[in-house]
Amino acid sequence: MKVPYSYLPQQFADPSAIFEELKAFIPTGDFTLGKPVQEFERRFAAKVGAKHGIGVNSGTDAIKLGLKAAGVGHGDEVITTANTFIATVGAINELGAKTVFVDCDDTFCMDVNQLEAAITPKTKALLPVHFTGYMTDMRKVMEIAKRHKLPVIEDACQGILSDIEGKRSGTWGQCGAFSLHPLKNLNVWADSGIIVTDDDAFADKLRLLRNHGLANRDEVVLLGYNSRLDSVQAIVGNHLIKDMDWITEQRIKNAGVLDNLLSKNKQIRLPPRPKDMRLVYHLYIVFAERRDELLRHCIGKGIECKVHYPIPLYQQEGLKHLGYKPGAFPVTDRHTKEIITFPAHQHLTAEQLAYIGDTVREFYAHG
Ligand SMILES: Cc1ncc(COP(=O)(O)O)c(C=O)c1O
């Protein structure tokens, strides 16, 4: 049996409704910040419970523009988590600022108990990452941010519709950055992203920043970027956002099934499942003994498992200039050796989920 990691073939198995809408849309020529973009921004903001949505051209830019609007610039320090996708660091770097890492805990998010010790006079913003669809403990982050008068930009690229006590990711800090990349839970057909915020003035600034700082056709009020959400992609987003609740619930359900099956093996340890958080399982990860062998076994049996990620960011060649020594982030280091990601996406069948359970059981049963 095959258990693919990607769900894109099923996600867009019948694109006819989207094509019909594109056919009607193309003659309008409304390609740049057109009506579909405004519609998507409204729908997305409403879905996550924010006042404003500002469509941009990637999740990376959503982070970058959020940081920029919060005043981050050359020489500033931005604190984020040691275990994240490179884009988080790339966004900080693009502004000439320096990334400061804090180790994660077994939720794959920042260990907020270590956050305060990383703050220096150069710290200009906090950038928690809701990695894998978990949530960073934003109650503690916001308390620390308030005490130190620091803006919080949430990297919610993997966390759409996750929440703590019903308050969704992206709505805790000054703004939240989301990715609509083809491999995200809400995905379109190209790179795209969106920022949400409740702050009117901040939203106005973000709208300027994503469009060259143009207040209108002829007036530039600040130096910005070309980072607009494309109207064509907004049309795709407007279709898929209707399925967002189903997608999320299905992933949560599948993760529950896998938790049940996999935890029967004493060699598998589940990460904590906090009752006050809604985890959306952008990635379904567990800790496994003999991880590399299990990974090879599962792949050999047609289950497309992965490791997110095998090399910690702070030890990557391209980030050497940050000056971190091996061993600086022990939890992140341990995770690189223990974690395994199983497919848990919304299009998996009950048979495929059971097959994952059987395959892992069989691996450990036969030593
Ligand atoms: C945690 C995290 N941050 C930022 C990004 C950047 O998003 P994008 O690929 O849309 O630029 C991604 C996605 O790839 C991500 O997983």
Side-chain angles (χ1 to χ4, degrees), residues 165-280:
E165 294 168 353
K167 188 167 171 54
R168 291 196 164 144
S169 56
T171 67
W172 288 78
Q174 182 70 36
C175 71
F178 293 87
S179 168
L180 309 171
H181 179 274
L183 287 179
K184 292 296 185 289
N185 289 13
L186 171 59
N187 49 6
V188 294
W189 293 349
D191 279 309
S192 301
I194 185 161
I195 313 168
V196 299
T197 183
D198 283 340
D199 182 325
D200 297 346
F202 201 77
D204 287 345
K205 198 164 176 187
L206 289 168
R207 287 196 185 96
L208 287 170
L209 281 171
R210 69 149 173 209
N211 192 25
H212 302 294
L214 282 162
N216 55 53
R217 185 182 170 278
D218 301 318
E219 288 171 273
V220 179
V221 295
L222 52 80
L223 269 177
Y225 304 88
N226 178 352
S227 184
R228 298 174 294 247
L229 172 61
D230 193 88
S231 294
V232 168
Q233 299 310 326
I235 287 175
V236 181
N238 279 325
H239 273 265
L240 211 58
I241 202 166
K242 296 173 199 151
D243 296 333
M244 212 42 231
D245 288 324
W246 174 80
I247 291 171
T248 309
E249 280 152 22
Q250 204 59 31
R251 281 176 173 266
I252 293 171
K253 211 171 100 198
N254 289 350
V257 173
L258 287 178
D259 271 6
N260 249 331
L261 294 171
L262 298 180
S263 62
K264 292 194 171 106
N265 304 281
K266 65 177 183 347
Q267 299 87 344
I268 297 275
R269 182 167 64 86
L270 300 182
R273 302 293 188 214
K275 289 276 175 291
D276 53 359
M277 288 187 189
R278 186 186 202 216
L279 318 179
V280 294

Side-chain angles (χ1 to χ4, degrees), residues 57-63 81 83-89 91 129-132 155-159 177-184 190-194 282-283 309:
N57 72 10
S58 68
T60 311
D61 270 14
I63 302 167
T81 174
N83 182 32
T84 179
F85 180 58
I86 179 59
T88 316
V89 178
V129 183
H130 305 310
F131 198 56
T132 76
D155 179 343
C157 286
Q158 299 193 1
F178 293 87
S179 168
L180 309 171
H181 179 274
L183 287 179
K184 292 296 185 289
D191 279 309
S192 301
I194 185 161
H282 172 64
L283 305 174
Y309 295 97

Side-chain angles (χ1 to χ4, degrees), residues 78-81 102-105 107 109-117 119 123 125-131 134-155 164 167 169-175 277:
V78 176
I79 302 177
T80 192
T81 174
V102 167
D103 208 354
C104 61
D105 59 26
T107 68
C109 293
M110 181 188 288
D111 178 351
V112 291
N113 297 318
Q114 297 186 37
L115 171 57
E116 206 154 15
I119 296 174
T123 306
L126 308 181
L127 179 50
V129 183
H130 305 310
F131 198 56
Y134 261 93
M135 280 208 54
T136 311
D137 190 343
M138 292 306 291
R139 293 162 293 204
K140 287 196 186 140
V141 171
M142 295 313 293
E143 189 190 299
I144 294 166
K146 215 171 178 183
R147 205 160 45 241
H148 292 268
K149 298 190 174 52
L150 288 168
V152 177
I153 310 302
E154 291 173 70
D155 179 343
I164 300 176
K167 188 167 171 54
S169 56
T171 67
W172 288 78
Q174 182 70 36
C175 71
M277 288 187 189

